[in-house]
């Protein structure tokens, strides 16, 4: 009886919150059209809880490239198609530089760091992160040498499997995480180190849980669902553990700090704290450092490692493409270590990597919060509205990609076999809030990918079927699979 009363109370509260919430969006006659809504849940009943972008793609066919969707008590606007997204970020860029305050992220970031912060704090952290990444090697030979060195560790590890079926998820994530650790702490972990394995486990579990329908409900009604058990509680407990590890790490590093010999990003941040300037206390505090390190661990590791997992899966699925890449590696690089400069002479490999990123479609949606009222393509979009950019629609845009639903490297090759850019290739999003580490990610993907294909032929275990359908999670990751890596030399 008590449980029934509790559930009834929840329904009543949600209904009242939905019915009486005064929504500026709802009063606008020119607000973009969208599907009919239900009390309390809005359109949640029609949204694919695991892959919302699929629902958005279907709705765009019915309601156009600018339409609305109601997830819980508030409405959002979805932008679909490359031309629409580009129009928004080109002509209304200043209105779209803010991230919406999603409760699940705000709970464990407190809106610090660089990914989920806004306003002056975001500007300060973005400037610091960009300049420090450049100083410590993003796009330079120093970090390239570290990536090459790590690729050698990765190759040695994979050789130990002797061509037998193995899972690549942990080793790929550990290798990529070591690049982040190098920038942050100027060190690396062995692939079996319990510390790095625990960090990987936390980030991997949270990535899977973040896209659950329960988290969607929590983001819509945090005042209610935060008291109930569910994936959101697991996510927050995981983040507490990760933040505790991070704080212990930079607390130890503070004791060893020499401001005249700054070795890594954390040293540089700690040195900023001691400058005695107003921004030293305003921005360079421990909460921002913790948030920044969480951002780099989570975003830097998950996206690049997942791209590599897609890369190997696709090479196993299409061995003829794998062979063409290997032929180009032999012709241009030979037995030398791959370096980013080689990509200029390797149009086919460059096209394959771009097609991997396009086909994998790691982040199918982006989110912004409108900073002031504006009119877009005849529709009035009020301040505070969440704008969902359907990046998936750009990467599958038939106007730019001949075979949008297939893996087809020729999308990025002209009739002479030369590499060809495509405007709709926006896996890292657009605008000032696009991926801050995309230059580093591109370097990592090229060096790791070519090093792996230089040393191994990849194929699936006998009898295994290769499924290219994305698995569950906040990002589009491949479903679990096993690979056989047969040494080429």
């Amino acid at each position: 009886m008590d449980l029934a009363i509790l559930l009834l109370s929840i329904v009543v509260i949600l209904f009242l919150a939905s019915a009486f919430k005064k929504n500026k969006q709802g009063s606008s006659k020119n607000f973009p059209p969208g599907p009919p809504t239900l009390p309390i849940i809005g359109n949640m009943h029609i949204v694919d809880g695991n892959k919302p972008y699929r629902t958005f793609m279907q709705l765009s066919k019915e309601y156009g490239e600018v339409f609305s969707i109601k997830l819980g008590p508030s409405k959002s606007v979805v932008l679909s198609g490359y031309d629409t997204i580009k129009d928004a970020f080109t002509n209304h860029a200043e209105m779209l530089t803010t991230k919406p305050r999603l409760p699940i992220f705000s709970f464990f970031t407190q809106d610090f760091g660089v990914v989920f912060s806004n306003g002056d704090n975001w500007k300060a952290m973005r400037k610091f992160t960009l300049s420090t990444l450049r100083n410590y090697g993003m796009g330079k030979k120093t970090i390239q040498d570290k990536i090459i060195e790590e690729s050698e560790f990765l190759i040695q590890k994979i050789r130990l499997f002797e061509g037998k079926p193995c899972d690549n998820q942990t080793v790929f994530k550990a290798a990529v995480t070591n690049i982040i650790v190098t920038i942050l702490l100027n060190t690396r972990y062995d692939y079996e180190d319990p510390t790095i394995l625990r960090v990987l486990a936390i980030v991997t579990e949270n990535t899977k849980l973040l896209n659950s329908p329960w988290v969607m409900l929590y983001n819509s009604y945090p005042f209610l669902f935060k008291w109930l058990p569910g994936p959101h509680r697991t996510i927050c407990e995981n983040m507490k553990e990760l933040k505790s590890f991070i704080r212990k790490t930079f607390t130890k590093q503070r004791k060893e700090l020499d401001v005249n010999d700054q070795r890594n990003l954390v040293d540089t941040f700690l040195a900023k704290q001691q400058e005695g300037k107003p921004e030293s206390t305003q921005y360079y505090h421990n909460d921002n450092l913790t948030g920044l390190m969480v951002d780099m661990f989570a975003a830097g590791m998950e996206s690049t490692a997942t791209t590599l997992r897609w890369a190997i899966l696709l090479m196993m699925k299409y061995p003829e493409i794998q062979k063409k890449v290997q032929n180009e590696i032999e012709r241009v690089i030979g037995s030398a270590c791959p370096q980013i400069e080689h990509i200029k002479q390797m149009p086919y490999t460059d096209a394959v990597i771009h097609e991997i990123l396009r086909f994998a479609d790691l982040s199918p949606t982006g989110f912004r919060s409108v900073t002031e009222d504006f009119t877009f393509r005849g529709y009035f979009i009020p301040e505070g509205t969440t704008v969902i950019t359907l990046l998936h629609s750009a990467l599958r845009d038939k106007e730019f990609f001949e075979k949008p639903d297939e893996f087809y490297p020729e999308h990025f090759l002209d009739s002479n076999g030369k590499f060809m850019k495509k405007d709709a290739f926006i896996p890292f999003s657009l605008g000032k809030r696009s991926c801050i580490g995309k230059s580093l990610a591109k370097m990592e993907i090229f060096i790791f990918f070519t090093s792996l294909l230089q040393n191994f032929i990849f194929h699936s275990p006998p009898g295994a079927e290769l499924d290219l359908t994305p698995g569950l999670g906040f990002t589009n990751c491949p479903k679990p699979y096993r690979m056989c890596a047969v040494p080429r030399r």
Side-chain angles (χ1 to χ4, degrees), residues 407-425:
F407 182 73
Y408 188 62
E410 284 74 12
H411 283 143
F412 296 93
L413 294 170
D414 65 16
S415 57
N416 297 316
K418 294 183 178 180
F419 178 77
M420 177 174 58
K421 292 183 178 181
K422 290 289 181 74
D423 290 340
F425 178 73

Side-chain angles (χ1 to χ4, degrees), residues 32-33 56-57 59-68 77-88 376-377 379 381 387-390 393-394 397-400:
F56 299 157
M57 288 291 288
L59 291 173
S60 69
K61 296 176 183 178
E62 182 175 355
Y63 295 100
E65 295 185 333
V66 183
F67 66 92
S68 62
V77 171
V78 181
L79 306 181
S80 177
Y82 170 70
D83 288 337
T84 304
I85 296 171
K86 181 187 177 184
D87 183 4
F376 180 68
R377 296 199 167 186
Y379 297 115
I381 302 178
V387 171
I388 301 172
T389 52
L390 191 50
S393 65
D397 197 320
K398 294 179 181 178
E399 295 295 320
F400 295 87

Side-chain angles (χ1 to χ4, degrees), residues 62-215:
E62 182 175 355
Y63 295 100
E65 295 185 333
V66 183
F67 66 92
S68 62
I69 187 84
K70 192 174 184 183
L71 303 175
S74 59
K75 286 186 176 181
S76 299
V77 171
V78 181
L79 306 181
S80 177
Y82 170 70
D83 288 337
T84 304
I85 296 171
K86 181 187 177 184
D87 183 4
F89 281 99
T90 300
N91 299 311
H92 305 280
E94 292 306 313
M95 285 80 157
L96 298 169
T97 57
T98 298
K99 284 286 185 76
R101 198 174 187 276
L102 297 177
I104 190 66
F105 294 117
S106 295
F107 182 87
F108 58 73
T109 66
Q110 282 77 55
D111 302 319
F112 294 118
V114 67
V115 174
F116 298 106
S117 64
N118 285 308
D120 291 339
N121 190 78
W122 167 71
K123 292 177 182 177
M125 289 299 96
R126 180 178 182 269
K127 181 180 179 181
F128 168 82
T129 305
L130 282 172
S131 63
T132 308
L133 284 175
R134 292 191 191 102
N135 291 340
Y136 289 109
M138 187 170 72
K140 296 182 180 179
K141 192 174 187 302
T142 48
I143 196 63
Q144 176 172 263
D145 290 344
K146 292 292 184 182
I147 299 170
I148 292 170
E149 181 184 19
E150 193 61 44
S151 70
E152 292 172 352
F153 283 115
L154 178 60
I155 289 164
Q156 291 171 16
K157 179 65 177 178
I158 294 176
R159 285 189 186 278
L160 296 177
F161 295 115
E162 298 179 335
K164 299 175 183 177
C166 63
D167 183 1
N168 58 27
Q169 185 168 190
T170 300
V171 292
F172 281 4
K173 288 186 176 182
V176 172
T177 300
N178 270 332
I179 304 304
I180 301 300
V181 172
T182 294
I183 295 171
L184 291 174
L185 307 171
N186 200 35
T187 188
R188 75 174 298 276
Y189 291 101
D190 185 82
Y191 295 165
E192 282 76 36
D193 189 295
T195 300
I196 196 172
L197 290 177
R198 183 55 191 152
V199 170
L200 298 183
I202 288 173
V203 175
T204 300
E205 183 176 32
N206 276 7
T207 301
K208 289 180 180 178
L209 295 177
L210 277 169
N211 217 40
S212 68
W214 193 264
V215 170

Side-chain angles (χ1 to χ4, degrees), residues 297-333:
F297 269 121
M301 177 271 282
E302 184 65 30
S303 59
T304 303
T306 301
T307 301
L308 291 174
R309 292 183 60 229
W310 273 114
I312 299 305
L313 176 61
L314 289 163
M315 292 303 97
M316 294 194 300
K317 183 75 172 180
Y318 303 104
E320 70 283 2
I321 295 177
Q322 179 179 184
K323 183 59 179 175
K324 287 183 180 179
V325 173
Q326 289 168 331
N327 289 340
E328 192 170 64
I329 290 172
E330 290 174 2
R331 186 172 66 253
V332 176
I333 302 176

Side-chain angles (χ1 to χ4, degrees), residues 191-301:
Y191 295 165
E192 282 76 36
D193 189 295
T195 300
I196 196 172
L197 290 177
R198 183 55 191 152
V199 170
L200 298 183
I202 288 173
V203 175
T204 300
E205 183 176 32
N206 276 7
T207 301
K208 289 180 180 178
L209 295 177
L210 277 169
N211 217 40
S212 68
W214 193 264
V215 170
M216 188 184 298
L217 283 169
Y218 173 76
N219 280 330
S220 297
Y221 301 102
F223 64 93
L224 192 65
F225 282 87
K226 71 177 180 179
W227 303 111
L228 299 177
H232 60 293
R233 301 290 289 270
T234 304
I235 290 169
C236 293
E237 289 301 315
N238 281 342
M239 290 309 301
K240 286 179 182 177
E241 183 180 347
L242 180 59
K243 288 167 74 172
S244 177
F245 159 72
I246 286 172
R247 288 195 184 100
K248 289 177 183 177
T249 301
F250 69 67
T251 298
K252 177 183 177 183
Q253 199 153 322
R254 180 182 283 113
K255 296 176 182 177
E256 304 168 354
L257 177 65
D258 181 353
V259 294
N260 297 315
D261 182 24
Q262 298 171 27
R263 304 157 296 174
N264 47 57
L265 184 145
V266 173
D267 274 2
T268 304
F269 195 102
L270 294 174
K272 288 278 189 182
Q273 287 184 340
Q274 298 184 13
E275 287 182 354
K277 298 178 180 178
E279 57 264 30
S280 298
T281 54
Q282 187 174 2
Y283 302 121
Y284 295 96
H285 46 73
N286 290 348
D287 287 332
N288 258 336
L289 179 53
T290 302
L292 188 56
M293 293 179 72
V294 167
D295 291 341
M296 295 191 69
F297 269 121
M301 177 271 282

